Amino acid sequence: MLKRNFDRLVASGKGTQLIWLLVISAIALGGALVYALIQGNSNFGWRETLAIFLDPGNFMLGARSGHVWFGLFMALLSIFLFSALLVSTFINVLENIGASVREGKRRYKFSHHILILGSGKKLQHIIDSLKNDSRSIVVMSLQKVRANDKVVYYNGLRDSYEDLQSANASEADIIYIIGDDDEPDHDARSLQALELLKEICIPATHDIYCYLSINETVTQEVFQYYRRNDTSHLLLVDIINDYEYYAEQLMVGTDFLPVIKSGEAKTCHIIIVGTGKSAQSAAYTAAHICHYPSYSEFGRKSEISFVGTGMKTFRDMLIASRPHLFSMSEWTYIGHDCMTETHQASDGDILDMKWNFMDYAIESADAKKLIVNVLSDKFNDVRIIICGENDTEVSTRVLHLPREAYDVPSIALFLENSHVLIDKALETKMYGNLVVFGPASSTDDALFLRRSLLGQRVNYIYDQVYSNEPSETAEKAWYKIPEAHKYSSIYCANAMPLRRLCYDLSSPERRPIYEAEHRRWMMSELIMGYAPGPKTNKANFIHADIVPFEALPPEEQEKDKILIDKIDEICR
């Protein structure tokens, strides 16, 4: 046991062995001084003893005074303690400190820093976006992260109270909870981290912005029903679904979606190849945004068509999660046996969106024929989005589309890791305009600031008009509402940039724009789980205003007008 404890002491590398070395040296020196005092020799006293101990070259002082063996013993002891043990101890300490830093085991007293919990694919984009920020960045994860002058790596768990405390979370300015890739319990661990942070940040003396990244659609569905406010004391929380966020980067404020203006009898038709979370988020994001004047003028609904295998299961999952949306929607299912199932909207056909589910492998002749038929309709303004299980599958699918598909204005690809192959494909000039979105794409909103800002502006307009206690700023109004209300404001704001391009805002007749905003609102409410009903009951997610615009009471029509009339303020 003694040997084991000694080995652990020497190997610890934390400076403890230096203290023990000093203690041993002090004991040895003290014993030697006592011996010299006992001898009472005026030629060899405590001064000579100390001189030999500090400089072994003085051992001849003992020889001149008749204490040669004692002087030699003191010289050898000094060489052993100071020349051998001290040097090796210092080297060991320095080596272990270096290893401790590389392994993320050392902690520092940071304040006003940026704390990132996790090392997922978003990490590098966040760090790149902070390159001009003077604050230190602390990254905590079990997966090793490359540190530099700006980035400090901590080895730790984001759902550990002790690890979060050691990262001085209550002293941070911003906290990003992004987690690690391919975690089966990603969202549960991140939500646990948030609960721990609420407790840890109680002593905070300044606002701490906290961005929680989730990646399961079912987690988002829970928060769309969530009526509590997750802001705790000075911890200001925003919750972002990864896949929805990537879809928004593709479609909000960009030139990806069609611009269909008044008088154009066009249909926005989005073909989504594949299923899964990225496909679902892309479809719902488009459904929030794509509300055009061609519906009220020509009765042309925007269409979203899914193409891929396992489509019946995917369709059933969507319907099970949002039954009222698909009950009120027109949709068509075409099986791999070419059997067709159609559904007509219930409660009146009041939505301007149609859904198609085509259960064909994209490589099949039937799938290519369907795509060519959509493209050949001169009234369709088509965009294509490619999703898949991995980057290889996505790249294979996009490079094997029918040749006619490459004439569409944009084909978007959801890529996780790299777009090098797509860059090479673009150089061939054979595959049209390929646009990458997802983790592999660089983004101008990696810090989630623009997304939150647009939603804040919409909410602030409501707050100033309808709140009993209007807030002083848009930020204060934002962090007093629950997540469900934040989603609603963000979805409204996301549609505004495209709406400015499609409608004539200089016209004194704005009813078509107000109607489009109401159709957008109905679609967003249904996607968030609301059901129509004779009387609004928000606790049970029933809303009486899921009706045509003309059936709304005047005071409810006014809500749509207020937002549209402030569109320049929202999109500034």
Side-chain angles (χ1 to χ4, degrees):
M1 181 62 72
L2 181 63
K3 178 182 178 182
R4 179 171 178 268
N5 289 335
F6 179 78
D7 290 344
R8 290 175 62 188
L9 173 65
V10 171
S12 65
K14 296 181 179 178
T16 308
Q17 62 270 66
L18 283 175
I19 297 175
W20 280 103
L21 180 60
L22 292 175
V23 170
I24 293 171
S25 299
I27 293 173
L29 178 59
L33 293 174
V34 169
Y35 173 81
L37 291 173
I38 292 174
Q39 291 297 315
N41 190 327
S42 59
N43 294 324
F44 192 83
W46 67 270
R47 291 185 179 86
E48 289 75 16
T49 301
L50 183 62
I52 295 173
F53 191 78
L54 295 178
D55 183 3
N58 293 323
F59 80 95
M60 290 301 296
L61 293 174
R64 289 196 294 269
S65 59
H67 294 80
V68 61
W69 292 110
F70 180 73
L72 180 61
F73 171 76
M74 291 300 299
L76 293 174
L77 181 63
S78 174
I79 292 172
F80 175 73
L81 290 175
F82 286 164
S83 299
L85 282 185
L86 184 62
V87 172
S88 64
T89 298
F90 265 114
I91 292 174
N92 180 258
V93 169
L94 293 176
E95 287 179 347
N96 279 280
I97 288 175
S100 182
V101 170
R102 290 190 297 273
E103 294 170 5
K105 295 178 179 179
R106 291 185 69 84
R107 298 293 189 262
Y108 308 95
K109 275 288 185 181
F110 284 115
S111 62
H112 295 288
H113 55 296
I114 298 171
L115 176 60
I116 305 174
L117 303 177
S119 57
K121 293 183 177 68
K122 291 187 292 297
L123 174 62
Q124 192 57 52
H125 293 313
I126 293 174
I127 292 175
D128 290 343
S129 297
L130 292 168
K131 62 183 178 182
N132 296 322
D133 196 304
S134 60
R135 291 171 291 191
S136 297
I137 301 172
V138 176
V139 180
M140 177 177 283
S141 172
L142 291 182
Q143 299 181 13
K144 189 174 291 186
V145 173
R146 182 180 298 176
N148 53 41
D149 292 340
K150 189 177 182 64
V151 178
V152 177
Y153 167 58
Y154 284 178
N155 183 290
L157 295 166
R158 69 181 183 280
D159 54 349
S160 164
Y161 186 92
E162 292 75 17
D163 287 343
L164 290 175
Q165 272 198 321
S166 73
N168 289 351
S170 63
E171 298 292 327
D173 282 346
I174 306 174
I175 301 175
Y176 291 97
I177 309 175
I178 64 173
D180 297 316
D181 294 327
D182 303 321
E183 293 178 315
D185 55 350
H186 176 280
D187 287 3
R189 293 183 60 190
S190 292
L191 290 172
Q192 177 63 21
L194 177 61
E195 293 305 312
L196 294 175
L197 285 170
K198 290 178 184 178
E199 182 179 350
I200 290 171
C201 292
I202 288 176
T205 58
H206 62 278
D207 288 340
I208 302 173
Y209 298 93
C210 180
Y211 298 94
L212 170 63
S213 174
I214 59 176
N215 62 28
E216 296 295 334
T217 53
V218 68
T219 308
Q220 182 175 12
E221 289 170 6
V222 170
F223 278 106
Q224 288 175 339
Y225 286 124
Y226 202 58
R227 289 300 180 185
R228 286 180 52 195
N229 185 348
D230 263 309
T231 292
S232 175
H233 185 47
L234 298 177
L235 187 69
L236 309 179
V237 180
D238 284 290
I239 299 175
I240 300 100
N241 178 283
D242 289 345
Y243 293 94
E244 182 177 72
Y245 163 74
Y246 293 129
E248 289 172 349
Q249 296 300 297
L250 172 67
M251 301 183 200
V252 178
T254 69
D255 60 358
F256 177 75
L257 292 173
V259 175
I260 302 173
K261 297 185 177 182
S262 179
E264 296 179 344
K266 290 282 189 178
T267 294
C268 168
H269 198 134
I270 298 175
I271 300 173
I272 301 178
V273 178
T275 59
K277 292 180 284 190
S278 56
Q280 178 179 339
S281 294
Y284 282 173
T285 300
H288 289 305
I289 298 174
C290 297
H291 303 276
Y292 294 99
S294 57
Y295 174 72
S296 57
E297 294 176 354
F298 303 101
R300 304 193 70 89
K301 296 182 178 183
S302 296
E303 293 193 39
I304 296 176
S305 296
F306 295 98
V307 182
T309 55
M311 191 57 64
K312 187 176 187 300
T313 300
F314 182 67
R315 179 206 66 179
D316 291 345
M317 182 274 293
L318 293 184
I319 293 175
S321 65
R322 289 296 179 257
H324 305 296
L325 167 63
F326 289 96
S327 173
M328 296 185 65
S329 296
E330 178 185 356
W331 56 262
T332 299
Y333 169 76
I334 303 176
H336 56 82
D337 55 1
C338 296
M339 294 295 293
T340 300
E341 180 183 349
T342 60
H343 176 270
Q344 299 301 318
S346 61
D347 299 322
D349 193 1
I350 63 175
L351 301 179
D352 58 353
M353 185 71 61
K354 180 182 177 182
W355 308 81
N356 303 302
F357 303 91
M358 304 173 184
D359 202 345
Y360 295 122
I362 188 59
E363 299 83 6
S364 70
D366 289 328
K368 292 185 177 182
K369 181 179 179 181
L370 283 170
I371 292 174
V372 170
N373 286 340
V374 172
L375 294 171
S376 62
D377 187 337
K378 65 179 181 180
F379 293 106
N380 284 334
D381 201 336
V382 180
R383 300 295 184 273
I384 299 175
I385 300 174
I386 311 292
C387 303
E389 292 294 327
N390 52 61
D391 288 0
T392 300
E393 185 176 76
V394 171
S395 299
T396 301
R397 286 175 172 176
V398 76
L399 299 179
H400 294 162
L401 291 172
R403 293 305 312 169
E404 294 87 342
Y406 302 120
D407 293 328
V408 304
S410 293
I411 301 174
L413 301 82
F414 183 85
L415 294 179
E416 295 271 2
N417 297 301
S418 173
H419 52 82
V420 174
L421 178 61
I422 301 306
D423 292 341
K424 294 296 183 183
L426 286 169
E427 292 177 7
T428 68
K429 308 294 185 182
M430 291 183 61
Y431 299 102
N433 181 30
L434 305 181
V435 179
V436 174
F437 74 111
S441 171
S442 59
T443 173
D444 62 350
D445 193 28
L447 307 180
F448 309 127
L449 300 178
R450 187 185 69 179
R451 181 181 195 271
S452 177
L453 179 61
L454 290 174
Q456 286 184 26
R457 290 171 181 168
V458 169
N459 178 67
Y460 188 57
I461 293 169
Y462 269 118
D463 180 82
Q464 296 301 294
V465 176
Y466 296 108
S467 176
N468 293 327
E469 297 180 6
S471 301
E472 297 176 7
T473 65
E475 184 177 282
K476 289 184 177 180
W478 185 249
Y479 289 111
K480 72 179 184 182
I481 62 174
E483 290 303 318
H485 292 175
K486 290 180 182 178
Y487 279 117
S488 182
S489 295
I490 288 171
Y491 296 151
C492 174
N494 285 347
M496 293 298 187
L498 182 63
R499 188 167 294 135
R500 294 176 78 191
L501 300 175
C502 296
Y503 289 86
D504 182 7
L505 296 174
S506 64
S507 172
E509 178 50 54
R510 289 194 167 190
R511 183 181 174 90
I513 318 174
Y514 302 150
E515 291 179 349
E517 169 55 23
H518 180 64
R519 294 195 300 273
R520 192 282 316 161
W521 176 86
M522 288 194 296
M523 178 61 64
S524 295
E525 294 297 289
L526 290 166
I527 289 176
M528 290 198 298
Y530 270 93
K535 186 177 181 179
T536 297
N537 184 338
K538 292 188 177 181
N540 293 322
F541 271 62
I542 297 173
H543 213 300
D545 293 336
I546 302 180
V547 295
F549 183 79
E550 58 270 15
L552 288 174
E555 62 272 16
E556 295 301 325
Q557 291 184 0
E558 189 64 28
K559 292 180 180 180
D560 295 314
K561 296 177 183 178
I562 288 172
L563 289 172
I564 294 301
D565 291 345
K566 296 279 189 177
I567 191 170
D568 289 335
E569 182 178 323
I570 295 169
C571 296
R572 70 178 187 275

